[in-house]
Amino acid sequence: MVKPESWLKTTPGGLYCEPGDFYIDPTRAVERAVVTHGHADHARPGHAKVLATDATLAIMRSRYDDQSGITQQAIAYGEVVEIGGVKISLAPAGHVLGSAQVVVEYAGSRVVVSGDYKRRPDPTCVPFEPVSCDVFVTEATFALPVFRHPSDEQEIAKLLRSVALFPDRAHLVGAYALGKAQRLLRLIRLAGYDRPIWLHGALQNLTDLYAGFGIDFGDLRPATEATKVELAGQIVLAPPGALADRWSRRLPDPLTAMASGWMRVRARARQRGAELPLIISDHADWDELTRTIRDVGAPRLWVTHGREEALVHYATGLGIEAEALSLVGYEDEDS
Amino acid sequence: MKRFADLLDSLAYQPQRNAKLRLLADHFARVPDPERGYALAALTGGLDFALAKAGLIRGLVTERVDPVLFELSYDYVGDLAETASLIWPERTEAGNAAPTLRDVVETLNSTGKANLPGIVAGWLDALDADGRWALIKLMTGGLRIGVSARLAKTAVAQFGNVDIAEIEELWHALEPPYEDLFAWLSGSGPKPDPNLAAAFRPVMLAHPLDEQDLEKLSPSDFLAEWKWDGARVQIAADGGRVRLYTRSGDEVSGAFPEIVEGVDFQATLDGELLVMRDGLVAPFGDLQRRLNRKSVGPKLRADFPCAVRLYDILLDAGEDLRSLPFQARRDRLEAWVERISHPRLDLSPTVPFSSWDELACLRRDGAEPGVEGLMLKRADSAYMPGRPKGLWFKWKRDPALIDAVVMYAQRGHGKRSSFYSDYTFGVWRGDELVPVGKAYFGFTDAELRELDRWVRANTVNRFGPVREVEKSLVVEVAFEGLQRSTRHKSGLAMRFPRFSRIRWDKPVEEADVIENLEALLPR
Ligand SMILES: [Zn+2]
Ligand SMILES: [Zn+2]
């Protein structure tokens, strides 16, 4: 067996597959890119050829317009394409709509590049599927045993309880524009909340895009068109950047909630000025990461971005040959 | 325990006073006895578990968690209680029922040291992360969630739709879990009997004087007294009991035996606790040596002898004088002091004057040590709890002094680099504290050591070299002038601010409001 690091290499532009001449989630514009999902640090503008799921490609188009790849090739989960003797397929990653793990096979070995992923159910995307492999490439955003996200239901209940207790205050929920916002909307609906939910303009496009993929969000309205009185006791979603911004002055005595895995740590929650931290994450927590490592059964683990040290330590303890790739250019998203 | 944990969690993140009150009142309404009562006890400092310390928790965690993962996590989180509560290997499937708050309180009060680790570990297994955090905070005695005892009592009063003064008057007669109190407040029981010997009577407070208002006030309506630079106390002696209370109703009798000893009268008196030697008031720093202690040794007692300078009488031999005009109470007080002899009690004299100008001169020049200004009290004012408008005024000597709350502390430089010696302080704007300045001197080396210790023990958040601290310490800040500034959130910049005193005794609610500062701006 040819060692995988001889054909799948860490470069300044990201993971590069030499025989197939393609990058996975390149951090700069390249000739051929395979993209795991639509988050901006993974899906960048300006590539010549892009291979991804149709949802990811749609997200890229909505974000980058004519910069979203000159040639776009959509493949379904499980479909296999071959480039330069390298077999490529995509498996669901459960992270956001369209998110995929990239499964690459070459010279008798299989590497799974999982991108960003989570294991718990998400009503807006297909659940993660473990794929057995020789090398598993994983993120480590929440790779410390202090990160164990509580159930979504519990966190949504916290939000709804607060809405009931403070009926005169607008509940301004900060949520990442791609994935987190739409998941929150669905979770709030699943909890039985059927009043209008108000959106910051920056969330509108991607939410419409999700709706186009058949996801029903109920009664959504633009927050800019509401009067102050109308918004008392209402739920308003905005990107995290808008929470402290002048935009929020339109709201009556806003109570700031923030939906993110980082809310688990009090110092981080206070830093964000959250009055109501909601621990809802699109990334695997410690238990999900360690369970996944055991599920895929790979003898080798490459850790991309996040708290690599703890995960490498854990995997080494299981007898896995683990190392940090120290890729640059990926962010601690889930903000 | 779950609901208590949820409450602590919401309170910890909620900066608004009114929202905190609503969270608390909602808790008291939703949660049954005795859970809500133990929650109230926890928030008012009524619980103290001698054996449960942070070391116990650390020991339990390190037995269960990979040491490398623990260190990496602790390093990331920065707080032991929080790290422990998050990293604890969850075993809820083991089927232990989560403890109630009552289980925790009663068991901690009755369990010996040897059995404690096993019991605590069982609880930690059965709770979720927020529950574990609340348990550890409760056990190790540092809730630090920005709720003062007074705020919790205010919420109780709101829940029962009664005046806070009623709660304060009863408080010393109540015990956790306060079932009789909640029964009364929810209309299912009689008002608990406050008529216990030597009860605390909520105190009457003064407003800062706005000098422009003097024109509207008639000097002949007022009596003036020196305002002493000490700590306000109440002596209550009745039915063979003697109690010394702080202004917020906490009993401190044990710390000041020289006051309590030899009391053979029956009265409730209002006055200023001071260190006094040969009839002269010692600097406030001397008194600080005696504050915040549960008891006192013979040496400290001899070196810093305390006394109370009396300025009001509330009850005399069982007769309630509080509805009398101040002038009449003053006459009774003077007669009382003539009649009773106690070596550590004396009378705070009135300051005769005939015009505001004359009084202003007296305020500026003519005073002995220990005076920080004047008190003006309407001669016809009844003794009303709280801070009624237009009756009592305090007229501090130096107008460029404010009481501020310490918000952040930063490490110093050079030989102070191991100390948190630079302090950002703030004042109230409505419900919120806004930073108004930064000071890094004005305290002695001994005070710096105390401040540094306090900062480390009261940190709620770290940002590099800066620590955010629990908003619970008031400092009197002296400064030379004030200007408008666009660089500061408060819109103000202070010239030459320094600590003039550390007010370990003062509740944060009584720090200055931003309006007081704005009034000092040059026009
Ligand atoms: Zn992502
Ligand atoms: Zn990512």
Side-chain angles (χ1 to χ4, degrees):
Chain A
M1 183 177 91
V2 185
K3 285 207 167 234
E5 57 266 42
S6 70
W7 55 269
L8 188 62
K9 295 181 170 168
T10 309
T11 73
L15 274 178
Y16 175 62
C17 177
E18 215 163 58
D21 190 22
F22 63 86
Y23 286 83
I24 300 172
D25 288 353
T27 54
R28 56 180 170 82
V30 298
E31 183 57 29
R32 186 191 285 276
V34 180
V35 173
T36 59
H37 67 286
H39 278 146
D41 51 331
H42 296 261
R44 292 181 191 255
H47 306 311
K49 298 187 183 113
V50 181
L51 180 78
T53 62
D54 60 341
T56 297
L57 291 171
I59 292 164
M60 289 178 76
R61 282 194 298 274
S62 110
R63 285 195 153 168
Y64 301 135
D65 197 15
D66 62 347
Q67 286 295 298
S68 57
I70 297 160
T71 322
Q72 296 196 337
Q73 183 181 1
I75 59 169
Y77 295 128
E79 192 182 327
V80 182
V81 294
E82 204 171 314
I83 305 174
V86 181
K87 280 187 187 155
I88 305 170
S89 65
L90 302 179
H95 176 55
V96 297
L97 180 69
S99 66
Q101 313 172 65
V102 181
V103 183
V104 278
E105 287 176 71
Y106 181 72
S109 54
R110 179 192 286 165
V111 179
V112 172
V113 181
S114 55
D116 291 335
Y117 65 96
K118 67 173 176 291
R119 301 298 301 270
R120 61 191 65 210
D122 176 339
T124 63
C125 66
V126 184
F128 181 94
E129 271 171 28
V131 179
S132 66
C133 52
D134 302 298
V135 178
F136 186 62
V137 185
T138 182
E139 58 142 321
T141 307
F142 292 115
L144 279 175
V146 290
F147 289 109
R148 288 195 309 237
H149 312 320
S151 78
D152 301 340
E153 291 75 23
Q154 182 184 322
E155 298 303 290
I156 296 296
K158 207 154 87 179
L159 172 65
L160 297 183
R161 215 165 44 231
S162 179
V163 171
L165 187 60
F166 297 102
D168 40 357
R169 302 182 71 181
H171 281 59
L172 176 59
V173 185
Y176 211 71
L178 169 58
K180 187 66 62 64
Q182 294 77 24
R183 177 167 163 223
L184 270 181
L185 290 170
R186 276 304 298 150
L187 289 171
I188 293 170
R189 293 305 183 209
L190 288 171
Y193 183 90
D194 53 11
R195 286 149 60 192
I197 302 176
W198 305 80
L199 294 189
H200 184 282
L203 304 180
Q204 196 65 55
N205 272 352
L206 286 165
T207 304
D208 291 344
L209 187 147
Y210 266 60
F213 278 83
I215 295 165
D216 176 20
F217 298 114
D219 186 358
L220 300 183
R221 301 186 192 178
T224 39
E225 286 171 19
T227 63
K228 218 167 185 167
V229 178
E230 255 180 314
L231 292 177
Q234 302 284 306
I235 297 176
V236 182
L237 256 61
L243 294 185
D245 169 277
R246 271 193 314 204
W247 181 86
S248 66
R249 287 188 200 156
R250 74 183 65 239
L251 306 176
D253 191 13
L255 190 152
T256 308
M258 174 73 205
S260 152
W262 298 113
M263 296 297 106
R264 182 77 273 183
V265 173
R266 279 159 204 280
R268 297 286 297 250
R270 283 169 188 263
Q271 237 165 20
R272 299 306 305 249
E275 291 166 74
L276 184 68
L278 302 173
I279 308 160
I280 297 182
S281 170
D282 282 331
H283 292 263
D285 68 6
W286 175 256
D287 290 341
E288 294 169 58
L289 289 168
T290 54
R291 171 184 154 206
T292 305
I293 289 170
R294 295 190 306 267
D295 283 354
V296 298
R300 299 185 62 189
L301 182 73
W302 296 351
V303 184
T304 57
H305 55 301
R307 269 119 292 280
E308 303 94 322
E309 205 179 341
L311 202 59
V312 167
H313 173 81
Y314 170 85
T316 307
L318 294 181
I320 294 170
E321 191 190 316
E323 62 185 297
L325 294 187
S326 309
L327 290 180
V328 290
Y330 301 103
E331 288 152 21
D332 269 354
E333 59 187 38
D334 206 49
S335 58
Chain B
M1 194 72 201
K2 168 84 185 129
R3 279 173 299 197
F4 177 62
D6 286 347
L7 175 69
L8 289 194
D9 213 43
S10 335
L11 288 171
Y13 286 114
Q14 185 44 257
Q16 289 187 12
R17 182 170 180 275
N18 283 334
K20 286 184 188 191
L21 286 171
R22 200 180 299 181
L23 287 165
L24 285 161
D26 175 64
H27 185 81
F28 297 139
R30 266 186 320 121
V31 175
D33 292 323
E35 294 294 287
R36 60 182 172 184
Y38 283 122
L40 178 60
L43 293 165
T44 51
L47 301 174
D48 185 17
F49 310 114
L51 295 175
K53 291 283 168 261
L56 167 78
I57 303 298
R58 198 183 175 122
L60 288 172
V61 171
T62 43
E63 278 169 27
R64 284 164 177 76
V65 177
D66 177 305
V68 175
L69 294 179
F70 178 79
E71 281 311 318
L72 287 170
S73 298
Y74 186 22
D75 193 52
Y76 186 85
V77 175
D79 175 84
L80 180 67
E82 188 177 354
T83 310
S85 64
L86 293 176
I87 207 171
W88 187 267
E90 216 148 283
R91 292 186 55 223
T92 36
E93 81 288 351
N96 321 14
T100 62
L101 185 54
R102 174 203 201 148
D103 294 336
V104 170
V105 172
E106 292 180 357
T107 310
L108 288 178
N109 278 330
S110 62
T111 305
K113 202 166 183 161
N115 294 328
L116 208 53
I119 291 171
V120 172
W123 288 338
L124 291 170
D125 280 345
L127 290 164
D128 67 6
D130 290 337
R132 291 190 291 267
W133 184 75
L135 174 67
I136 296 171
K137 288 285 182 185
L138 178 72
M139 281 175 47
T140 52
L143 290 182
R144 293 199 204 111
I145 47 160
V147 174
S148 65
R150 183 165 165 94
L151 189 74
K153 290 175 197 169
T154 307
V156 172
Q158 280 191 2
F159 158 73
N161 216 356
V162 299
D163 196 278
I164 168 84
E166 286 199 74
I167 306 287
E168 285 193 318
E169 228 171 59
L170 282 175
W171 190 254
H172 62 272
L174 304 170
E175 266 179 37
Y178 310 111
E179 286 174 333
D180 50 351
L181 173 70
F182 282 109
W184 168 53
L185 293 175
S186 44
S188 61
K191 183 170 177 176
D193 183 9
N195 223 345
L196 182 118
F200 172 70
R201 312 292 165 166
V203 300
M204 176 160 175
L205 301 165
H207 285 272
L209 180 75
D210 182 343
E211 290 184 27
Q212 288 166 348
D213 288 347
L214 280 178
E215 305 163 20
K216 290 176 246 157
L217 305 173
S218 163
S220 58
D221 288 341
F222 285 85
L223 298 179
E225 301 163 6
W226 296 121
K227 177 168 172 25
W228 300 103
D229 195 6
R232 180 100 177 256
V233 289
Q234 185 176 106
I235 306 168
D238 177 25
R241 294 222 54 160
V242 186
R243 295 171 193 255
L244 186 69
Y245 295 104
T246 65
R247 60 197 273 172
S248 47
D250 295 317
E251 195 183 340
V252 289
S253 315
F256 302 97
E258 63 265 65
I259 311 294
V260 175
E261 282 165 14
V263 167
D264 53 3
F265 51 80
Q266 192 187 354
T268 298
L269 302 152
D270 192 357
E272 199 80 3
L273 182 71
L274 302 160
V275 167
M276 297 245 293
R277 301 189 186 93
D278 306 322
L280 284 182
V281 178
F284 186 79
D286 283 16
L287 179 62
Q288 279 184 330
R289 303 290 302 270
R290 293 287 304 268
L291 297 175
N292 298 320
R293 295 170 180 275
K294 286 222 153 72
S295 60
V296 59
K299 166 123 176 72
L300 211 57
R301 181 176 163 180
D303 290 351
F304 301 97
C306 284
V308 176
R309 192 149 265 189
L310 302 171
Y311 36 68
D312 216 325
I313 182 163
L314 280 55
L315 279 85
D316 184 5
E319 183 189 352
D320 194 339
L321 308 180
R322 286 178 292 175
S323 56
L324 296 183
F326 178 59
Q327 179 69 66
R329 294 201 308 280
R330 180 79 207 179
D331 295 343
R332 292 283 293 257
L333 178 65
E334 286 174 10
W336 188 90
V337 172
E338 284 288 304
R339 199 167 72 233
I340 304 288
S341 103
H342 182 298
R344 305 308 297 167
L345 301 182
D346 69 2
L347 181 71
S348 177
T350 50
V351 180
F353 68 101
S354 50
S355 73
W356 294 132
D357 287 343
E358 186 189 347
L359 196 61
C361 290
L362 287 167
R363 168 174 165 273
R364 200 183 57 229
D365 318 313
E368 52 178 306
V371 166
E372 59 164 352
L374 287 163
M375 295 295 299
L376 298 178
K377 297 178 177 175
R378 273 193 78 101
D380 61 1
S381 57
Y383 195 95
M384 296 162 70
R387 205 185 297 274
K389 285 218 164 73
L391 301 179
W392 288 10
F393 298 97
K394 51 186 172 189
W395 195 10
K396 281 202 191 181
R397 184 177 277 167
D398 182 354
L401 277 182
I402 54 151
D403 285 332
V405 179
V406 179
M407 302 178 72
Y408 303 90
Q410 186 170 0
R411 281 188 211 249
H413 298 285
K415 78 183 204 302
R416 278 179 165 187
S417 58
S418 68
F419 285 101
Y420 285 93
S421 61
D422 298 10
Y423 308 95
T424 301
F425 49 83
V427 297
W428 295 106
R429 175 187 280 153
D431 276 348
E432 232 186 346
L433 283 169
V434 281
V436 292
K438 217 172 168 182
Y440 48 93
F441 64 101
F443 32 79
T444 64
D445 286 354
E447 285 174 327
L448 174 58
R449 279 193 294 278
E450 260 184 284
L451 283 166
D452 179 72
R453 230 187 346 264
W454 181 86
V455 167
R456 289 168 196 275
N458 290 276
T459 299
V460 295
N461 208 350
R462 303 174 194 209
F463 313 94
V466 180
R467 290 187 179 212
E468 181 182 359
V469 295
E470 178 69 11
K471 311 301 178 300
S472 63
L473 178 60
V474 177
V475 289
E476 187 180 74
V477 177
F479 57 97
E480 295 307 313
L482 210 54
Q483 286 175 318
R484 291 187 194 282
S485 157
T486 48
R487 279 191 306 126
H488 298 89
K489 189 180 173 193
S490 61
L492 303 169
M494 256 179 209
R495 203 160 67 80
F496 204 48
R498 69 272 182 192
F499 283 16
S500 74
R501 278 198 303 155
I502 306 162
R503 296 297 309 258
W504 301 104
D505 57 317
K506 190 154 194 150
V508 282
E509 290 84 10
E510 300 196 13
D512 276 283
V513 294
I514 189 94
E515 287 79 0
N516 295 357
L517 279 176
E518 284 162 352
L520 297 174
L521 280 169
R523 272 157 234 262

